[in-house]
Amino acid sequence: MKSIHTLLPFRPITPDPWQSLRRYTQARIALGRSGSSLPTAAWLGFGLSHAQARDAVHQPLDAATLHGEIEALGSEHLHVTSRASTRDIYLKRPDLGRQLAPESAAMLAEVRSEAPPDVVFVVADGLSSLAVARHAVPLLRATLPLLQAWKIGPIVVAEQGRVALGDPVAVALEARAVVVLIGERPGLTSADSLGVYLTYAPRSGMTDADRNCISNVRPEGLAYAEAARKIAYLLAGARRLGQSGVALKDDSDADTKLDTPSPFIPSITTTASRGESA
Amino acid sequence: MSYAHAIGPQRYVFADLRTLLAKASPARSGDALAGVIADREEERMAARYALADLPLARFLQEAVVPYEDDEVTRLIVDTHDEAAFAPVAHLTVGEFRDWVLSDEADTAALTALHRGLTPEMVAAVSKLMRNQDLILAARKCRVVTRFRNTLGLPGHLAVRLQPNHPTDDPQGIAAALLDGLLYGSGDAVIGINPASDNLPAIWRLLQLMDDLRERYAIPTQSCVLTHVTNTLRAIESGAPVDLVFQSIAGSELTNRSFGVDLALLREARDAALSLGRGTLGNNVMYFETGQGSALSANGHWGVDQQTMEARAYAVARAFDPLLVNTVVGFIGPEYLYDGKEIIRAGLEDHFCGKLLGLPMGCDVCYTNHSEADQDDMDNLLTLLGVAGINFIIGVPGADDIMLNYQSTSFHDALFLRDTLGLKRTPEFETWLQDMGITTAQGRLRPQHADQTLLRYASQI
């Protein structure tokens, strides 16, 4: 005798007949539903992604490899740490992640040069060392050739660093501008997003409104070449205005030339517009 | 003025009102980071006893942020409605808790009281309340707002459809948007967080949403959540702007760090009103807030983060918003460490906002560096559903691929409707039924290739 299951196929999942739209986005669309709930496969997939994102937060930065790759770019490079000595302290005490460890501050004071740089790049682990390991050097490689008009300082690798750690680094090196490349908080679909924060005339006590942000740099997000172009555009604009932040707009996609005054849009985006930056 | 309470031989003294409030506040990592948290559990209870005995009227005499230094304080003081306050003017904070929970404090009484309360009074009473008190009291409040539909009716729950894409790709956004509509979401607003600040890109997103809305006569509103100055420029250039979005906070210093002040918000609201695009009402503002933002911007004045959050609602209240969204778990573990702290904060924010007369929604959410997971979100979602939240967020599969955090999904909204019997905004529900997306009972219908929206999908 046949079981009832062969007579009536077991189909508790209501499918969504728009799976073809998945080619346009990595968003979790057309998942179908079990009643009103997620089907088992979608729920387990979510759980796996969450597990991987959690792991990305806690993976330490491979500083030795990063220094080697920067060396290969032909750039000078330095290493600093913040006052957050462990990942756990880093997560609970963002204030410590914004300050240089005393020995790092002393080291920077030693290397201060006679002719200060125009711009210094800081590469910080932030909340995803994976983002830095994958994208920081390719982005530097794309950006540095666009900055012929700038005297570029040593590239500073920072461990347990927040965005604002760039300010004391720039002050110590007497740089007029600082660009911080930092791992953004990992998402389920992008554990490796790199953020770029540009600050002109950095000093202590600057806020998000004083910075310009370029978010989600990675091949599946904003491509290196495009991000590099935006960095160069914003640096040129900041130098012209004498400031970065809300007054400096990213109109780089509009029909404007770098050297002509343009209508401006503020640049408090994404994470900054919803609170704390990385 | 100092405040004190003795427990046995130990006399606890609190130097001023903001210290008293901070020490009475339930524990959370942000207050520890700010150095304002109670040192011990007993000190916290001593502060609560002292707070319970404090006359509500005291808050009209002592500001937690100086009047002369802060335009938010000036807004709170200068717009306080004495007549509305009169029915509770004689109460202490502890007595006020009893009154709020009593049958006497029904929807009408609480509605009449909105403008008589200051954020600090509301924050203070919340610190004496357990989670069930926050739920029960908020449930009695009713705040109805309108633009192209009617939000906040009792027994209803709306969803902001959040179809974000990491590069603002129009096809990617349209795909997520259709997914949401086909799941019955989008009645609060269709709102995109743009990756770019670039005006042409913002224009494209506004146009995309407006075209879709017009084409299918969807009774909802759209918004690109960009800085208010961008929205002003978009309005000036003729873009189809329904709502003005802005992140706000509870101090002038913090708002300035966001690049805004009250005058700028007024200008933006006037600009949106001048377009006259609302068909049912003129609530044109959409605000987002979140505990910890003031500390993050170093604009907290030594005030605890929950009180600062309530002060942000005073800013929101001045602009008759359509939607106020506390993005409770977005800011990270240094402000709200784990699921327990996020859940508490979500309930506090909803209660405080509702008592002040705001159309509160909540982004029930967490980041991957917080000690929280989907179980915590299910708990907060259910609690807020019981508490009568006006709206929640809907993101495909709860995974925002642009902002890199986990919010609630379209499925989560269905779960809440199933378990609590919550309905969609009436105008939107009618539209869904007309489109063959839901049944007469509001349940999703299985979809087939002949669905009109899927035919649109084939063109994107």
Side-chain angles (χ1 to χ4, degrees), chain A residues 14-18 21-39 43 46 49-50 53-54 57-58 88 90-95 98 127 162 184-190 193 207-210 213 215-216 218 220-222 230 246 249-254 263-277, chain B residues 33 160 162 165-167 169 171-172 175-176 178-179 182-183 193-200 202 204 225 227 229-230 233 245 247 256-259 288 293 296-297 325 327 330-335 337 363 366-374 396-406 411 414-415 418 443-449 454 457 460:
Chain A
T14 308
D16 294 332
W18 55 92
L21 295 182
R22 286 202 196 135
R23 68 180 181 274
Y24 298 123
T25 178
Q26 289 189 293
R28 290 167 201 255
I29 62 170
L31 297 177
R33 53 194 169 86
S34 307
S36 292
S37 305
L38 280 182
W43 169 231
F46 183 100
S49 297
H50 184 228
R54 296 277 296 159
V57 172
H58 295 279
D88 193 49
Y90 176 83
L91 290 175
K92 286 182 184 157
R93 293 290 304 271
D95 54 326
R98 297 180 187 122
L127 286 167
R162 301 259 171 186
E184 294 179 340
R185 57 172 67 168
L188 291 196
T189 311
S190 55
S193 270
T207 69
D208 286 341
D210 300 316
C213 169
S215 188
N216 195 32
R218 58 191 185 109
E220 303 81 6
L222 187 66
K230 283 178 182 287
V246 177
K249 321 295 182 178
D250 173 17
D251 281 352
S252 58
D253 293 354
F264 289 139
I265 305 176
S267 190
I268 306 174
T269 64
T270 61
T271 51
S273 73
R274 297 186 82 170
E276 169 72 330
S277 53
Chain B
L33 179 63
R160 167 189 162 196
Q162 184 170 306
H165 187 276
T167 60
D169 177 68
Q171 290 176 320
L178 288 172
D179 192 65
L182 290 164
Y183 267 83
N193 297 87
S196 165
D197 287 333
N198 179 291
L199 188 60
I202 290 164
R204 276 194 294 277
L225 284 75
H227 193 266
T229 50
N230 292 342
R233 285 183 64 197
F245 166 81
S247 290
R256 225 185 275 148
S257 88
F258 292 163
E288 285 191 351
S293 64
S296 163
N325 180 23
V327 191
F330 186 79
I331 193 161
E334 60 269 38
Y335 303 95
Y337 184 67
D363 192 344
Y366 65 107
T367 61
N368 288 311
H369 61 316
S370 297
E371 293 300 317
D373 62 19
Q374 290 303 97
D399 170 14
D400 190 307
I401 59 172
M402 199 285 269
L403 290 170
N404 291 341
Y405 76 123
Q406 282 88 259
H411 294 74
L414 296 178
F415 152 78
D418 277 6
R443 297 192 65 80
L444 287 189
R445 289 180 187 279
Q447 293 299 320
H448 306 285
L454 290 181
I460 68 175

Side-chain angles (χ1 to χ4, degrees), chain B residues 323-369:
Chain B
L323 306 159
V324 178
N325 180 23
T326 170
V327 191
V328 68
F330 186 79
I331 193 161
E334 60 269 38
Y335 303 95
L336 295 168
Y337 184 67
D338 56 14
K340 180 180 172 70
E341 292 185 6
I342 292 171
I343 289 168
R344 172 75 197 181
L347 294 175
E348 289 168 346
D349 293 352
H350 178 247
F351 163 80
C352 288
K354 280 283 175 72
L355 212 57
L356 289 167
L358 288 173
M360 290 304 294
C362 182
D363 192 344
V364 174
C365 64
Y366 65 107
T367 61
N368 288 311
H369 61 316

Side-chain angles (χ1 to χ4, degrees), chain B residues 61-374:
Chain B
Q61 288 141 24
E62 184 177 346
V64 297
V65 178
Y67 181 91
E68 49 284 357
D69 295 330
D70 184 87
E71 67 171 359
V72 178
T73 299
R74 292 196 289 277
L75 173 74
I76 292 166
V77 172
D78 297 348
T79 61
H80 180 252
D81 185 336
E82 287 282 349
F85 180 58
V88 297
H90 60 291
L91 300 180
T92 63
V93 176
E95 291 165 345
F96 182 54
R97 173 183 172 277
D98 292 323
W99 181 83
V100 165
L101 295 173
S102 74
D103 291 347
E104 193 183 313
D106 57 12
T107 301
L110 290 169
T111 303
L113 191 60
H114 289 327
R115 300 271 167 178
L117 296 176
T118 68
E120 290 84 356
M121 293 176 193
V122 172
V125 73
S126 82
K127 295 176 196 299
L128 304 183
M129 296 172 111
R130 56 196 291 195
N131 285 1
Q132 65 167 253
D133 299 345
L134 298 172
I135 293 168
L136 188 143
R139 192 179 165 80
K140 296 195 283 185
C141 297
R142 191 155 307 151
V143 183
V144 177
T145 55
R146 292 178 181 85
F147 189 76
R148 285 197 195 92
N149 55 25
T150 311
L151 298 165
L153 295 172
H156 287 66
L157 170 80
V159 178
R160 167 189 162 196
L161 204 174
Q162 184 170 306
N164 295 342
H165 187 276
T167 60
D168 298 334
D169 177 68
Q171 290 176 320
I173 283 172
L177 207 170
L178 288 172
D179 192 65
L181 290 175
L182 290 164
Y183 267 83
S185 285
D187 43 356
V189 63
I190 299 169
I192 301 170
N193 297 87
S196 165
D197 287 333
N198 179 291
L199 188 60
I202 290 164
W203 243 104
R204 276 194 294 277
L205 297 178
L206 286 166
Q207 199 66 58
L208 182 154
M209 289 188 287
D210 205 55
D211 287 349
L212 182 73
R213 184 188 62 74
E214 286 266 330
R215 181 164 174 175
Y216 296 104
I218 311 174
T220 191
Q221 35 282 331
S222 64
C223 185
V224 173
L225 284 75
T226 186
H227 193 266
V228 64
T229 50
N230 292 342
T231 304
L232 268 170
R233 285 183 64 197
I235 290 173
E236 284 160 15
S237 66
V241 172
D242 288 343
L243 305 182
V244 174
F245 166 81
Q246 184 55 45
S247 290
I248 53 168
S251 75
E252 182 180 341
L253 271 178
T254 311
N255 284 329
R256 225 185 275 148
S257 88
F258 292 163
V260 299
D261 58 21
L262 299 177
L264 181 59
L265 294 175
R266 229 170 270 130
E267 182 188 343
R269 177 168 180 267
D270 289 344
L273 284 173
S274 75
L275 301 179
R277 291 171 59 88
T279 50
L280 295 186
N282 277 322
N283 301 114
V284 296
M285 302 299 282
Y286 173 11
F287 292 118
E288 285 191 351
T289 65
Q291 291 191 26
S293 64
L295 175 59
S296 163
N298 206 19
H300 62 104
W301 293 90
V303 178
D304 70 89
Q305 67 183 34
Q306 190 257 330
T307 301
M308 281 313 271
E309 172 72 5
R311 284 169 55 93
Y313 303 152
V315 175
R317 186 162 71 169
F319 301 97
D320 294 326
L322 183 77
L323 306 159
V324 178
N325 180 23
T326 170
V327 191
V328 68
F330 186 79
I331 193 161
E334 60 269 38
Y335 303 95
L336 295 168
Y337 184 67
D338 56 14
K340 180 180 172 70
E341 292 185 6
I342 292 171
I343 289 168
R344 172 75 197 181
L347 294 175
E348 289 168 346
D349 293 352
H350 178 247
F351 163 80
C352 288
K354 280 283 175 72
L355 212 57
L356 289 167
L358 288 173
M360 290 304 294
C362 182
D363 192 344
V364 174
C365 64
Y366 65 107
T367 61
N368 288 311
H369 61 316
S370 297
E371 293 300 317
D373 62 19
Q374 290 303 97

